[in-house]
Amino acid sequence: MIATHPRQIRIPAADKARLRIIFLAKHACADGRPDAQDGNHAIYHHEMRTTLEAIGLNVDVANSYEALYDRPDADFVITLLNRGGFQNSEMLAPLLLSRRDMPYLGASPIVRGLSDDKYLSKMIARARGVPTMAAQLFRRGGLFESPAFAADRLVVKPNASSASWGVKMVDTWAEARDHADGLFALGHDVLVEQWAPLLDVAVPVVGGSGGQPWILPPMMYVPADPHRERSYEEKRGLIDAGDDPLILVEDADLRSRLEAMTAALLPELWPFDYGRFEFRYDPVSGQVLFMEVNLSCNLWSKKTISRSAASIGVDHAALVETIVGHSLARQGLLDEAIVQVAA
């Protein structure tokens, strides 16, 4: 395979043969069928494993944190074990690997924690001059504050959940408090934010050749009903909702604004290997508001990052090889001169 884009990375064949890689994911050992609880995540994990193997990497698999308690007999770990069944589990694999000084795909534990905290990421956006919707955080067992803003519609959700689990839209702060109490009982901090008119826009960012962030074309989610939030069951494929209705952002001004906002946030989070910066766009007013950032997010070929890369001629396997190659290079596991030639 020849590189089709100047930012694409090809991992040299000698390094593919030499490096021992562990692929760590909940469904790393599964056969590619949907899981009763995790739905299409099981399909995604199987696809990632087979893609890594097809690239020519020397891959062993593991499916639990126990594989990281001692230093793995490997050179590098690709971890997708983000949902461990307990609060802030996204940080555990990076922490265990950092403890053993083991290079891994993704971002540092503290950056992962920052990105997974939706409220803190909004505070960063405001500090960087990037507009976001009004929001208020309620920590479980913390000090209660009265509502700090008024809104006709509110979104109540766990502050660090994924795939819209636990999200509810309400019309009053009393309803918000009721839902928050239920989330507190399940162990979650709660974010209440002003609802913003829906179109969701994602700006994928991956590491490419040259060691700098590569901002991929923004993708817009265009649902049949823009006033309805997507459910967890839809996102995980637990109910039949078809493929995500994603389209490229064609408007040059909107695209420029999205890329500028993303670039303003990058110094707070870089280095990382891949992520998705999410915004809420109102086509009536033209308003763009930062919503959240998801690092080490879904790399399934049916999802945003891969479909964005495909729009510029970079297929799924080439995208995965680029992301892994960037991580290997930035952590000193490849010969820099070879990477420059191969990119």
Side-chain angles (χ1 to χ4, degrees):
M1 181 180 67
I2 299 173
T4 59
H5 192 283
R7 297 300 308 279
Q8 186 179 331
I9 289 175
R10 294 298 315 284
I11 302 171
D15 288 305
K16 289 180 179 179
R18 174 179 58 85
L19 293 170
R20 298 165 302 161
I21 293 173
I22 290 177
F23 174 57
L24 176 69
K26 182 176 180 181
H27 301 284
C29 304
D31 60 6
R33 287 179 290 185
D35 179 76
Q37 179 180 3
D38 297 323
N40 55 33
H41 239 50
I43 303 173
Y44 161 45
H45 291 171
H46 179 264
E47 180 191 67
M48 277 295 293
R49 187 190 81 210
T50 57
T51 299
L52 293 167
E53 292 169 344
I55 288 168
L57 296 171
N58 181 11
V59 179
D60 287 327
V61 297
N63 60 7
S64 70
Y65 295 111
E66 284 78 5
L68 307 181
Y69 288 174
D70 296 318
R71 195 181 200 279
D73 184 20
D75 301 296
F76 184 72
V77 176
I78 295 173
T79 173
L80 302 186
L81 192 52
N82 296 340
R83 302 173 68 242
F86 56 91
Q87 187 76 329
N88 303 129
S89 60
E90 292 83 357
M91 298 173 65
L92 183 56
L95 283 166
L96 290 169
L97 290 162
S98 297
R99 176 174 177 248
R100 299 299 183 186
D101 196 26
M102 168 66 72
Y104 58 90
L105 187 76
S108 69
I110 197 162
V111 170
R112 286 296 306 274
L114 172 60
S115 66
D116 287 334
D117 190 306
K118 293 178 172 62
Y119 184 73
L120 291 182
S121 63
K122 283 180 167 59
M123 293 182 68
I124 285 177
R126 292 172 191 162
R128 285 277 172 174
V130 176
T132 184
M133 60 278 291
Q136 189 169 356
L137 176 66
F138 298 95
R139 298 282 186 196
R140 178 175 180 249
L143 300 174
F144 180 78
E145 291 184 312
S146 299
F149 62 90
D152 294 331
R153 202 176 195 191
L154 299 164
V155 180
V156 188
K157 56 189 177 184
N159 188 47
S161 76
S162 63
S164 295
W165 182 87
V167 175
K168 186 175 183 179
M169 290 189 294
V170 300
D171 297 321
T172 68
W173 276 95
E175 292 174 288
R177 182 63 189 266
D178 285 344
H179 187 52
D181 285 342
L183 294 174
F184 290 149
L186 296 174
H188 295 275
D189 295 338
V190 175
L191 181 68
V192 181
E193 62 187 16
Q194 181 181 14
W195 181 84
L198 177 73
L199 291 171
D200 285 339
V201 185
V203 183
V205 180
V206 303
S209 64
Q212 297 300 307
W214 179 8
I215 299 178
L216 296 174
M219 301 290 289
M220 184 181 295
Y221 179 88
V222 184
D225 181 0
H227 297 284
R228 185 181 68 85
E229 286 279 354
R230 285 180 287 171
S231 70
Y232 174 84
E233 289 75 16
E234 287 176 289
K235 289 188 177 182
R236 286 285 178 258
L238 296 171
I239 60 175
D240 185 13
D243 290 341
D244 291 347
L246 295 169
I247 63 171
L248 278 172
V249 174
E250 302 284 1
D251 182 270
D253 176 68
L254 175 58
R255 182 166 172 165
S256 177
R257 291 162 61 199
L258 289 163
E259 291 174 351
M261 290 179 178
T262 300
L265 296 169
L266 282 170
E268 299 280 357
L269 301 166
W270 193 259
F272 58 83
D273 295 318
Y274 64 103
R276 191 179 67 232
F277 290 73
E278 299 192 12
F279 300 85
R280 186 60 60 88
Y281 169 59
D282 181 356
V284 176
S285 67
Q287 184 182 53
V288 178
L289 299 173
F290 170 77
M291 189 162 54
E292 63 190 54
V293 58
N294 291 286
L295 300 184
S296 298
C297 55
N298 199 319
L299 275 180
W300 190 20
S301 60
K302 292 180 177 289
K303 294 297 184 179
T304 304
I305 297 183
S306 187
R307 289 171 65 174
S308 172
S311 75
I312 56 173
V314 178
D315 66 22
H316 183 66
L319 172 69
V320 171
E321 183 169 0
T322 292
I323 290 170
V324 174
H326 166 265
S327 190
L328 293 170
R330 75 176 175 85
Q331 296 178 83
L333 295 178
L334 299 180
D335 183 333
E336 183 177 356
I338 295 176
V339 172
Q340 289 174 350
V341 171

PDB file of all heavy atoms in Angstrom, residues 319-340:
ATOM      1  N   LEU A 319      -5.901   4.625   7.925  1.00  0.00           N
ATOM      2  CA  LEU A 319      -6.124   5.513   9.067  1.00  0.00           C
ATOM      3  C   LEU A 319      -5.582   4.885  10.346  1.00  0.00           C
ATOM      4  O   LEU A 319      -4.859   5.534  11.119  1.00  0.00           O
ATOM      5  CB  LEU A 319      -7.618   5.795   9.215  1.00  0.00           C
ATOM      6  CG  LEU A 319      -8.034   6.551  10.483  1.00  0.00           C
ATOM      7  CD1 LEU A 319      -7.545   7.989  10.444  1.00  0.00           C
ATOM      8  CD2 LEU A 319      -9.543   6.499  10.674  1.00  0.00           C
ATOM      9  N   VAL A 320      -5.923   3.621  10.600  1.00  0.00           N
ATOM     10  CA  VAL A 320      -5.457   2.948  11.812  1.00  0.00           C
ATOM     11  C   VAL A 320      -3.935   2.868  11.822  1.00  0.00           C
ATOM     12  O   VAL A 320      -3.294   3.120  12.852  1.00  0.00           O
ATOM     13  CB  VAL A 320      -6.093   1.546  11.918  1.00  0.00           C
ATOM     14  CG1 VAL A 320      -5.451   0.752  13.057  1.00  0.00           C
ATOM     15  CG2 VAL A 320      -7.601   1.657  12.142  1.00  0.00           C
ATOM     16  N   GLU A 321      -3.335   2.543  10.690  1.00  0.00           N
ATOM     17  CA  GLU A 321      -1.872   2.468  10.635  1.00  0.00           C
ATOM     18  C   GLU A 321      -1.241   3.829  10.902  1.00  0.00           C
ATOM     19  O   GLU A 321      -0.220   3.931  11.599  1.00  0.00           O
ATOM     20  CB  GLU A 321      -1.407   1.934   9.288  1.00  0.00           C
ATOM     21  CG  GLU A 321       0.112   1.772   9.208  1.00  0.00           C
ATOM     22  CD  GLU A 321       0.585   1.003   7.998  1.00  0.00           C
ATOM     23  OE1 GLU A 321      -0.259   0.575   7.174  1.00  0.00           O
ATOM     24  OE2 GLU A 321       1.818   0.819   7.881  1.00  0.00           O
ATOM     25  N   THR A 322      -1.840   4.882  10.390  1.00  0.00           N
ATOM     26  CA  THR A 322      -1.332   6.229  10.639  1.00  0.00           C
ATOM     27  C   THR A 322      -1.397   6.584  12.113  1.00  0.00           C
ATOM     28  O   THR A 322      -0.435   7.106  12.689  1.00  0.00           O
ATOM     29  CB  THR A 322      -2.128   7.257   9.806  1.00  0.00           C
ATOM     30  OG1 THR A 322      -1.837   7.070   8.422  1.00  0.00           O
ATOM     31  CG2 THR A 322      -1.782   8.690  10.204  1.00  0.00           C
ATOM     32  N   ILE A 323      -2.525   6.299  12.748  1.00  0.00           N
ATOM     33  CA  ILE A 323      -2.699   6.636  14.169  1.00  0.00           C
ATOM     34  C   ILE A 323      -1.712   5.846  15.026  1.00  0.00           C
ATOM     35  O   ILE A 323      -1.054   6.412  15.915  1.00  0.00           O
ATOM     36  CB  ILE A 323      -4.154   6.364  14.587  1.00  0.00           C
ATOM     37  CG1 ILE A 323      -5.095   7.383  13.923  1.00  0.00           C
ATOM     38  CG2 ILE A 323      -4.303   6.424  16.107  1.00  0.00           C
ATOM     39  CD1 ILE A 323      -6.569   7.052  14.085  1.00  0.00           C
ATOM     40  N   VAL A 324      -1.603   4.548  14.769  1.00  0.00           N
ATOM     41  CA  VAL A 324      -0.663   3.719  15.529  1.00  0.00           C
ATOM     42  C   VAL A 324       0.768   4.146  15.229  1.00  0.00           C
ATOM     43  O   VAL A 324       1.608   4.259  16.140  1.00  0.00           O
ATOM     44  CB  VAL A 324      -0.878   2.228  15.216  1.00  0.00           C
ATOM     45  CG1 VAL A 324       0.204   1.372  15.887  1.00  0.00           C
ATOM     46  CG2 VAL A 324      -2.259   1.783  15.676  1.00  0.00           C
ATOM     47  N   GLY A 325       1.076   4.418  13.965  1.00  0.00           N
ATOM     48  CA  GLY A 325       2.418   4.841  13.595  1.00  0.00           C
ATOM     49  C   GLY A 325       2.815   6.145  14.247  1.00  0.00           C
ATOM     50  O   GLY A 325       3.954   6.312  14.705  1.00  0.00           O
ATOM     51  N   HIS A 326       1.879   7.076  14.338  1.00  0.00           N
ATOM     52  CA  HIS A 326       2.157   8.344  15.020  1.00  0.00           C
ATOM     53  C   HIS A 326       2.487   8.101  16.482  1.00  0.00           C
ATOM     54  O   HIS A 326       3.437   8.684  17.035  1.00  0.00           O
ATOM     55  CB  HIS A 326       0.941   9.265  14.910  1.00  0.00           C
ATOM     56  CG  HIS A 326       0.981  10.444  15.834  1.00  0.00           C
ATOM     57  ND1 HIS A 326       0.364  10.441  17.072  1.00  0.00           N
ATOM     58  CD2 HIS A 326       1.593  11.645  15.733  1.00  0.00           C
ATOM     59  CE1 HIS A 326       0.577  11.596  17.661  1.00  0.00           C
ATOM     60  NE2 HIS A 326       1.320  12.343  16.875  1.00  0.00           N
ATOM     61  N   SER A 327       1.719   7.240  17.133  1.00  0.00           N
ATOM     62  CA  SER A 327       1.953   6.963  18.547  1.00  0.00           C
ATOM     63  C   SER A 327       3.310   6.298  18.758  1.00  0.00           C
ATOM     64  O   SER A 327       4.064   6.652  19.673  1.00  0.00           O
ATOM     65  CB  SER A 327       0.838   6.074  19.098  1.00  0.00           C
ATOM     66  OG  SER A 327       0.909   5.982  20.507  1.00  0.00           O
ATOM     67  N   LEU A 328       3.628   5.327  17.917  1.00  0.00           N
ATOM     68  CA  LEU A 328       4.932   4.663  18.014  1.00  0.00           C
ATOM     69  C   LEU A 328       6.062   5.662  17.814  1.00  0.00           C
ATOM     70  O   LEU A 328       7.068   5.649  18.532  1.00  0.00           O
ATOM     71  CB  LEU A 328       5.023   3.553  16.970  1.00  0.00           C
ATOM     72  CG  LEU A 328       4.094   2.345  17.152  1.00  0.00           C
ATOM     73  CD1 LEU A 328       4.124   1.464  15.906  1.00  0.00           C
ATOM     74  CD2 LEU A 328       4.471   1.544  18.392  1.00  0.00           C
ATOM     75  N   ALA A 329       5.904   6.548  16.839  1.00  0.00           N
ATOM     76  CA  ALA A 329       6.959   7.518  16.534  1.00  0.00           C
ATOM     77  C   ALA A 329       7.144   8.521  17.663  1.00  0.00           C
ATOM     78  O   ALA A 329       8.276   8.812  18.065  1.00  0.00           O
ATOM     79  CB  ALA A 329       6.636   8.237  15.224  1.00  0.00           C
ATOM     80  N   ARG A 330       6.035   9.045  18.202  1.00  0.00           N
ATOM     81  CA  ARG A 330       6.165  10.080  19.232  1.00  0.00           C
ATOM     82  C   ARG A 330       6.734   9.526  20.538  1.00  0.00           C
ATOM     83  O   ARG A 330       7.264  10.278  21.353  1.00  0.00           O
ATOM     84  CB  ARG A 330       4.833  10.796  19.465  1.00  0.00           C
ATOM     85  CG  ARG A 330       3.781  10.023  20.244  1.00  0.00           C
ATOM     86  CD  ARG A 330       2.549  10.894  20.491  1.00  0.00           C
ATOM     87  NE  ARG A 330       1.474  10.172  21.132  1.00  0.00           N
ATOM     88  CZ  ARG A 330       1.348   9.990  22.446  1.00  0.00           C
ATOM     89  NH1 ARG A 330       2.253  10.484  23.278  1.00  0.00           N
ATOM     90  NH2 ARG A 330       0.322   9.314  22.945  1.00  0.00           N
ATOM     91  N   GLN A 331       6.639   8.200  20.710  1.00  0.00           N
ATOM     92  CA  GLN A 331       7.170   7.579  21.925  1.00  0.00           C
ATOM     93  C   GLN A 331       8.508   6.873  21.687  1.00  0.00           C
ATOM     94  O   GLN A 331       8.966   6.095  22.530  1.00  0.00           O
ATOM     95  CB  GLN A 331       6.119   6.614  22.495  1.00  0.00           C
ATOM     96  CG  GLN A 331       4.862   7.359  22.937  1.00  0.00           C
ATOM     97  CD  GLN A 331       3.778   6.453  23.463  1.00  0.00           C
ATOM     98  OE1 GLN A 331       3.797   6.056  24.635  1.00  0.00           O
ATOM     99  NE2 GLN A 331       2.820   6.120  22.616  1.00  0.00           N
ATOM    100  N   GLY A 332       9.109   7.163  20.537  1.00  0.00           N
ATOM    101  CA  GLY A 332      10.469   6.715  20.281  1.00  0.00           C
ATOM    102  C   GLY A 332      10.618   5.260  19.928  1.00  0.00           C
ATOM    103  O   GLY A 332      11.716   4.700  20.086  1.00  0.00           O
ATOM    104  N   LEU A 333       9.552   4.630  19.431  1.00  0.00           N
ATOM    105  CA  LEU A 333       9.626   3.208  19.110  1.00  0.00           C
ATOM    106  C   LEU A 333       9.948   2.940  17.640  1.00  0.00           C
ATOM    107  O   LEU A 333      10.114   1.792  17.246  1.00  0.00           O
ATOM    108  CB  LEU A 333       8.314   2.524  19.480  1.00  0.00           C
ATOM    109  CG  LEU A 333       7.983   2.514  20.985  1.00  0.00           C
ATOM    110  CD1 LEU A 333       6.652   1.852  21.220  1.00  0.00           C
ATOM    111  CD2 LEU A 333       9.068   1.821  21.780  1.00  0.00           C
ATOM    112  N   LEU A 334      10.022   3.993  16.829  1.00  0.00           N
ATOM    113  CA  LEU A 334      10.413   3.861  15.431  1.00  0.00           C
ATOM    114  C   LEU A 334      11.634   4.719  15.164  1.00  0.00           C
ATOM    115  O   LEU A 334      11.876   5.707  15.863  1.00  0.00           O
ATOM    116  CB  LEU A 334       9.273   4.304  14.498  1.00  0.00           C
ATOM    117  CG  LEU A 334       7.952   3.556  14.572  1.00  0.00           C
ATOM    118  CD1 LEU A 334       6.985   4.154  13.564  1.00  0.00           C
ATOM    119  CD2 LEU A 334       8.134   2.074  14.314  1.00  0.00           C
ATOM    120  N   ASP A 335      12.369   4.374  14.156  1.00  0.00           N
ATOM    121  CA  ASP A 335      13.494   5.194  13.695  1.00  0.00           C
ATOM    122  C   ASP A 335      12.905   6.414  12.979  1.00  0.00           C
ATOM    123  O   ASP A 335      12.229   6.282  11.963  1.00  0.00           O
ATOM    124  CB  ASP A 335      14.375   4.388  12.734  1.00  0.00           C
ATOM    125  CG  ASP A 335      15.592   5.153  12.267  1.00  0.00           C
ATOM    126  OD1 ASP A 335      15.547   6.401  12.222  1.00  0.00           O
ATOM    127  OD2 ASP A 335      16.593   4.512  11.927  1.00  0.00           O
ATOM    128  N   GLU A 336      13.189   7.609  13.494  1.00  0.00           N
ATOM    129  CA  GLU A 336      12.552   8.814  12.950  1.00  0.00           C
ATOM    130  C   GLU A 336      12.852   8.996  11.462  1.00  0.00           C
ATOM    131  O   GLU A 336      11.988   9.378  10.676  1.00  0.00           O
ATOM    132  CB  GLU A 336      13.025  10.054  13.723  1.00  0.00           C
ATOM    133  CG  GLU A 336      12.358  11.337  13.269  1.00  0.00           C
ATOM    134  CD  GLU A 336      12.778  12.538  14.088  1.00  0.00           C
ATOM    135  OE1 GLU A 336      13.532  12.369  15.061  1.00  0.00           O
ATOM    136  OE2 GLU A 336      12.355  13.653  13.746  1.00  0.00           O
ATOM    137  N   ALA A 337      14.073   8.710  11.055  1.00  0.00           N
ATOM    138  CA  ALA A 337      14.433   8.865   9.655  1.00  0.00           C
ATOM    139  C   ALA A 337      13.604   7.938   8.767  1.00  0.00           C
ATOM    140  O   ALA A 337      13.142   8.322   7.691  1.00  0.00           O
ATOM    141  CB  ALA A 337      15.926   8.584   9.440  1.00  0.00           C
ATOM    142  N   ILE A 338      13.375   6.713   9.243  1.00  0.00           N
ATOM    143  CA  ILE A 338      12.577   5.761   8.473  1.00  0.00           C
ATOM    144  C   ILE A 338      11.131   6.243   8.364  1.00  0.00           C
ATOM    145  O   ILE A 338      10.514   6.169   7.317  1.00  0.00           O
ATOM    146  CB  ILE A 338      12.637   4.357   9.091  1.00  0.00           C
ATOM    147  CG1 ILE A 338      14.068   3.809   9.003  1.00  0.00           C
ATOM    148  CG2 ILE A 338      11.661   3.418   8.419  1.00  0.00           C
ATOM    149  CD1 ILE A 338      14.242   2.472   9.672  1.00  0.00           C
ATOM    150  N   VAL A 339      10.587   6.788   9.475  1.00  0.00           N
ATOM    151  CA  VAL A 339       9.225   7.281   9.458  1.00  0.00           C
ATOM    152  C   VAL A 339       9.070   8.386   8.434  1.00  0.00           C
ATOM    153  O   VAL A 339       8.109   8.458   7.678  1.00  0.00           O
ATOM    154  CB  VAL A 339       8.809   7.783  10.858  1.00  0.00           C
ATOM    155  CG1 VAL A 339       7.456   8.472  10.783  1.00  0.00           C
ATOM    156  CG2 VAL A 339       8.766   6.626  11.827  1.00  0.00           C
ATOM    157  N   GLN A 340      10.039   9.303   8.358  1.00  0.00           N
ATOM    158  CA  GLN A 340       9.954  10.400   7.410  1.00  0.00           C
ATOM    159  C   GLN A 340       9.965   9.894   5.959  1.00  0.00           C
ATOM    160  O   GLN A 340       9.243  10.413   5.124  1.00  0.00           O
ATOM    161  CB  GLN A 340      11.114  11.368   7.633  1.00  0.00           C
ATOM    162  CG  GLN A 340      10.977  12.157   8.930  1.00  0.00           C
ATOM    163  CD  GLN A 340      12.195  13.012   9.233  1.00  0.00           C
ATOM    164  OE1 GLN A 340      13.225  12.899   8.580  1.00  0.00           O
ATOM    165  NE2 GLN A 340      12.078  13.874  10.218  1.00  0.00           N
TER     166      GLN A 340
END
